[in-house]
């Protein structure tokens, strides 16, 4: 157990729907990062939050949004889902941006 | 454009053998370089992290090297085990307010008995 908790582990939904992925960072970690990994693809950085504030944005679609709450857990909202959004979505946390990340076990999203 | 290139894309070795994975990057200004191991369907697990001034860092049978002048890193695995079968990902971060990381595509390693 890495200490980073992601729920749900698996999610199957239809095109056009909206889903919310949840991440609880390791105790004491203020930064939360979201990544997307499509089949046989590398990890794509989506967005980073630090202590409740958005810190950096990567290749995140406008249909996707995220937030970090006062208790430091984070949610990634994916809307108007398309087949191509099927992927593993990972959350990672760190104490600060200069330290290594700790990844969660991911949420596997399947859009049918 | 910041890029991280890894080679080979895939590698098959016999149990007990050594292997070396390569990572070349064009990320600038450099902050740190990390190697991760990712088992299929699982989250990546950190193996090593190196800053500009570090040339070598070991973690058990894993040894990472960094040449900041040539912008190259390698990950050497000694006496491979079946459990080493995984994807190995090189990640380079830039200096700056957000330290946005750039991920390599990974090297898929298969260790056969």
């Amino acid at each position: 157990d890495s200490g980073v908790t992601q729920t749900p582990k698996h999610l199957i939904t239809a095109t056009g729907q909206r889903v919310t992925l949840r991440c609880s960072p390791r105790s004491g970690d203020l930064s939360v990062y979201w990544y997307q990994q499509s089949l046989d693809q590398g990890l794509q950085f989506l967005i980073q939050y630090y202590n409740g504030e958005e810190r950096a944005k990567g290749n995140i679609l406008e249909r996707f949004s995220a937030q970090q709450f006062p208790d430091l857990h984070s949610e990634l909202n994916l809307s108007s889902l398309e087949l191509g959004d099927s992927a593993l979505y990972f959350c990672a946390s760190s104490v600060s941006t200069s330290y290594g990340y700790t990844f969660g076990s991911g949420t596997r999203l399947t859009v049918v | 454009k910041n890029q991280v290139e890894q080679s080979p894309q895939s590698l098959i070795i016999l149990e007990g053998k050594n292997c070396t994975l390569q990572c070349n990057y064009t990320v600038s200004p450099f902050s740190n370089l990390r190697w991760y191991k990712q088992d299929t369907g699982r989250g990546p697990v950190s193996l090593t992290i190196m800053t500009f001034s570090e040339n070598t860092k070991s973690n058990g049978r894993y040894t990472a090297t960094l040449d900041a002048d040539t912008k190259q890193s390698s990950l050497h695995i000694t006496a491979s085990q079946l459990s080493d079968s995984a994807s190995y990902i090189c990640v380079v971060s830039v200096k700056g307010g957000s330290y946005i990381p750039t991920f390599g595509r990974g090297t898929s390693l298969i260790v056969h008995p």
Side-chain angles (χ1 to χ4, degrees):
Chain A
D1 182 10
S2 67
V4 178
T5 304
Q6 288 189 249
T7 57
K9 291 192 182 304
H10 302 276
L11 196 52
I12 301 175
T13 189
T15 54
Q17 295 299 304
R18 172 190 171 94
V19 297
T20 297
L21 312 183
R22 182 188 169 99
C23 169
S24 294
R26 269 189 337 170
S27 177
D29 286 357
L30 299 179
S31 276
V32 170
Y33 309 78
W34 285 99
Y35 297 88
Q36 179 192 55
Q37 187 175 38
S38 302
L39 187 63
D40 295 330
Q41 298 292 314
L43 284 152
Q44 296 293 322
F45 170 68
L46 295 178
I47 197 164
Q48 176 204 356
Y49 280 84
Y50 179 82
N51 202 21
E53 294 187 1
E54 182 183 304
R55 183 61 66 91
K57 255 184 177 179
N59 300 319
I60 187 166
L61 300 173
E62 286 191 8
R63 300 184 286 108
F64 296 0
S65 65
Q67 55 184 327
Q68 186 179 30
F69 295 87
D71 67 353
L72 300 179
H73 91 271
S74 178
E75 293 181 355
L76 179 66
N77 300 297
L78 314 176
S79 61
S80 303
L81 285 168
E82 303 174 359
L83 295 178
D85 297 327
S86 296
L88 271 167
Y89 290 85
F90 288 105
C91 167
S93 72
S94 67
V95 171
S96 70
T97 52
S98 59
Y99 280 72
Y101 316 133
T102 300
F103 281 85
S105 56
T107 292
R108 182 176 293 281
L109 173 66
T110 303
V111 182
V112 297
Chain B
K1 181 181 178 182
N2 291 330
Q3 287 188 314
V4 176
E5 301 289 339
Q6 291 188 242
S7 62
Q9 184 175 355
S10 61
L11 183 61
I12 300 174
I13 62 174
L14 292 176
E15 186 179 12
K17 298 297 186 183
N18 303 334
C19 67
T20 300
L21 315 180
Q22 299 291 340
C23 173
N24 297 338
Y25 61 93
T26 59
V27 173
S28 181
F30 176 85
S31 174
N32 59 68
L33 183 147
R34 310 163 193 169
W35 283 95
Y36 285 87
K37 177 187 178 188
Q38 185 180 21
D39 293 316
T40 302
R42 308 290 295 274
V45 175
S46 178
L47 295 175
T48 62
I49 178 170
M50 289 185 291
T51 58
F52 186 87
S53 59
E54 296 175 298
N55 300 119
T56 303
K57 186 161 281 190
S58 292
N59 179 358
R61 296 181 295 102
Y62 301 101
T63 299
T65 64
L66 174 65
D67 186 333
D69 292 330
T70 61
K71 298 187 177 181
Q72 295 179 327
S73 176
S74 64
L75 180 69
H76 186 74
I77 304 175
T78 304
S80 62
Q81 300 176 358
L82 299 179
S83 60
D84 292 331
S85 295
S87 179
Y88 291 84
I89 304 169
C90 175
V91 183
V92 185
S93 293
V94 296
K95 280 186 180 178
S98 60
Y99 292 86
I100 298 174
T102 302
F103 281 71
R105 294 282 297 270
T107 292
S108 175
L109 174 66
I110 298 174
V111 180
H112 278 166

